[in-house]
Amino acid sequence: MYIFPGGLDDDEAKIIDNAKPDLFIEQFLKENKNKKIIAYLGTIEERKNPLAVVEIAKHFKNNEDIVFVIAGKPGDQWDKVYKESKKLKNVVLTGELTVEQKASLIKSSYLNIIMSKMEALGLTQIEFMYGGVPVITSAVYGQKWLISNGIDGIHLRGPDDIEGGVEAINKIMQNESLYEEMKVKAMEKGRNFLMSKLMRELIEKAKQLSSQ
């Protein structure tokens, strides 16, 4: 048995490589240009639980250094997220992004956060890690396998761990050397999930099996 995980398409990776951080910032964050971006990227649905990200953002409403971006196609949690985020100056809800806007968001982000209740793997997290962005995750299902706790991100105690999310953000922001180490490790992990690399490994494994 050989496990072949989901991977990042090489063409998508090139778009991230060539993305300009200022594109997203100029379009969506004119009043928050110099703030660190903590980004959620995905459908605004209950399964992915972006409402929990809004709850975490409430704990940072007086922090002038960070802004939370919630980006993605409207789903069954859109109305709740929209209603709650409107109350907060430190949350920007964008709606669905173009490929270029998404790549620019990845390139400009300080952290990626995902509070999902169910996640088979997390291709979006691979994209962020490829861009050198550490991930704070609810650590459900494939997320626990994909993100290494304390290495390229931080595992929380599930999708309802608001307190843990706040602690994780504070921990990283207060330790610049930890953040820089996580950035490097995240980028290394992301590059290991390039589809071209995964295919080469699969072909090599097939050759080994056929020669036995």
Side-chain angles (χ1 to χ4, degrees), residues 64-106:
E64 296 295 327
D65 296 325
I66 60 177
V67 61
F68 289 80
V69 170
I70 298 178
K73 182 171 63 176
D76 59 17
Q77 206 177 70
W78 175 267
D79 290 343
K80 290 180 180 178
V81 171
Y82 178 78
K83 180 181 177 181
E84 291 301 312
S85 64
K86 276 186 67 177
K87 303 173 185 177
L88 299 168
K89 293 182 179 180
N90 66 335
V91 177
V92 175
L93 182 62
T94 69
E96 190 170 9
L97 301 178
T98 65
V99 172
E100 291 76 15
Q101 288 170 336
K102 184 180 82 168
S104 179
L105 172 59
I106 291 169

Side-chain angles (χ1 to χ4, degrees), residues 30-125:
K30 289 183 179 180
E31 297 178 3
N32 298 283
K33 281 187 177 181
N34 300 316
K35 296 184 179 181
K36 292 181 171 70
I37 299 171
I38 299 176
Y40 164 88
L41 179 61
T43 307
I44 313 302
E45 61 181 348
E46 186 173 353
R47 177 179 68 86
K48 288 185 172 289
N49 198 26
L51 190 60
V53 178
V54 179
E55 291 301 314
I56 290 172
K58 290 178 181 178
H59 291 265
F60 293 93
K61 62 183 179 182
N62 296 320
N63 189 313
E64 296 295 327
D65 296 325
I66 60 177
V67 61
F68 289 80
V69 170
I70 298 178
K73 182 171 63 176
D76 59 17
Q77 206 177 70
W78 175 267
D79 290 343
K80 290 180 180 178
V81 171
Y82 178 78
K83 180 181 177 181
E84 291 301 312
S85 64
K86 276 186 67 177
K87 303 173 185 177
L88 299 168
K89 293 182 179 180
N90 66 335
V91 177
V92 175
L93 182 62
T94 69
E96 190 170 9
L97 301 178
T98 65
V99 172
E100 291 76 15
Q101 288 170 336
K102 184 180 82 168
S104 179
L105 172 59
I106 291 169
K107 211 63 175 291
S108 60
S109 291
Y110 178 74
L111 293 171
N112 171 233
I113 186 166
I114 175 75
M115 302 294 291
S116 187
K117 297 179 179 180
M118 184 181 295
E119 202 73 42
L121 180 65
L123 288 176
T124 299
Q125 279 60 64

